[in-house]
């Protein structure tokens, strides 16, 4: 369906009618146009389609994997994921078990936290790395 929407031009029509589909961060018009261009270019691409098709298999492969016990890990989760699905936070807490150098932080926002919380993420990361050398 995504490939059809992309190649037919319907995705552009839908995104023009409802710009929220593009998940563009709050930036100036010139940069917003670049985000729009990249979204239109990438949606329906072979890489994007393959990524979507591979997700269930990749999730299954990683389900039993854990980080080494002395490996520093910082999880940054978005409220868009944790609010409607409490198991999302629980899954990450389970992955943290036994590791003393791990932190989980939930940030207000959607999947694209790096669009809206870049400064906060940078500061959290710097602080985490300083305390977990």
């Amino acid at each position: 369906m995504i490939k059809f929407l992309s190649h037919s031009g319907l995705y552009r029509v839908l995104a023009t009618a409802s710009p929220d589909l593009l998940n563009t961060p709050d930036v100036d018009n010139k940069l917003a146009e670049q985000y729009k261009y990249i979204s239109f270019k990438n949606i329906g691409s072979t890489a994007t389609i393959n990524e979507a098709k591979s997700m269930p298999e990749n999730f299954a492969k990683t389900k039993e994997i854990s980080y080494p016990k002395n490996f520093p890990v910082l999880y940054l989760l978005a409220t868009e994921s944790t609010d409607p699905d409490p198991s999302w936070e629980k899954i990450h807490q389970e992955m943290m078990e036994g590791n003393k150098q791990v932190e989980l932080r939930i940030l207000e926002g959607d999947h694209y936290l790096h669009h809206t919380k870049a400064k906060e993420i940078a500061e959290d990361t710097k602080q985490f790395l300083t305390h977990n050398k």
Side-chain angles (χ1 to χ4, degrees), residues 5 9 13 18 31-32 41 75 77 85 99 107 121 132:
L5 290 172
V13 172
S18 181
L31 195 51
K41 178 184 171 295
Y75 288 109
L77 305 180
D85 183 5
N99 189 329
L107 302 176
I121 289 169
N132 291 284

Side-chain angles (χ1 to χ4, degrees), residues 2 5-6 9-44 80 110-116:
I2 296 292
L5 290 172
S6 171
L10 288 174
Y11 181 73
R12 288 176 188 262
V13 172
L14 293 171
T16 300
S18 181
D20 290 347
L21 285 174
L22 298 175
N23 287 313
T24 305
D26 187 21
V27 293
D28 64 56
N29 289 339
K30 184 176 180 181
L31 195 51
E33 282 300 312
Q34 290 175 342
Y35 271 95
K36 189 169 143 181
Y37 171 79
I38 291 169
S39 292
F40 289 154
K41 178 184 171 295
N42 291 340
I43 194 74
E80 178 188 67
D110 62 17
H111 177 77
Y112 296 98
L113 284 173
H114 59 284
H115 286 183
T116 57

Side-chain angles (χ1 to χ4, degrees), residues 57-117:
E57 181 183 346
N58 289 340
F59 276 130
K61 285 179 182 177
T62 62
K63 190 168 186 163
E64 300 302 319
I65 294 175
S66 61
Y67 292 103
K69 299 302 177 195
N70 294 321
F71 191 81
V73 178
L74 173 62
Y75 288 109
L76 300 172
L77 305 180
T79 54
E80 178 188 67
S81 298
T82 59
D83 288 352
D85 183 5
S87 69
W88 191 243
E89 181 178 353
K90 184 176 183 267
I91 290 166
H92 289 83
Q93 287 173 339
E94 289 170 358
M95 290 190 295
M96 295 167 51
E97 288 176 6
N99 189 329
K100 295 181 184 344
Q101 293 184 324
V102 65
E103 288 182 36
L104 183 145
R105 297 188 187 154
I106 299 174
L107 302 176
E108 184 72 34
D110 62 17
H111 177 77
Y112 296 98
L113 284 173
H114 59 284
H115 286 183
T116 57
K117 302 287 185 176

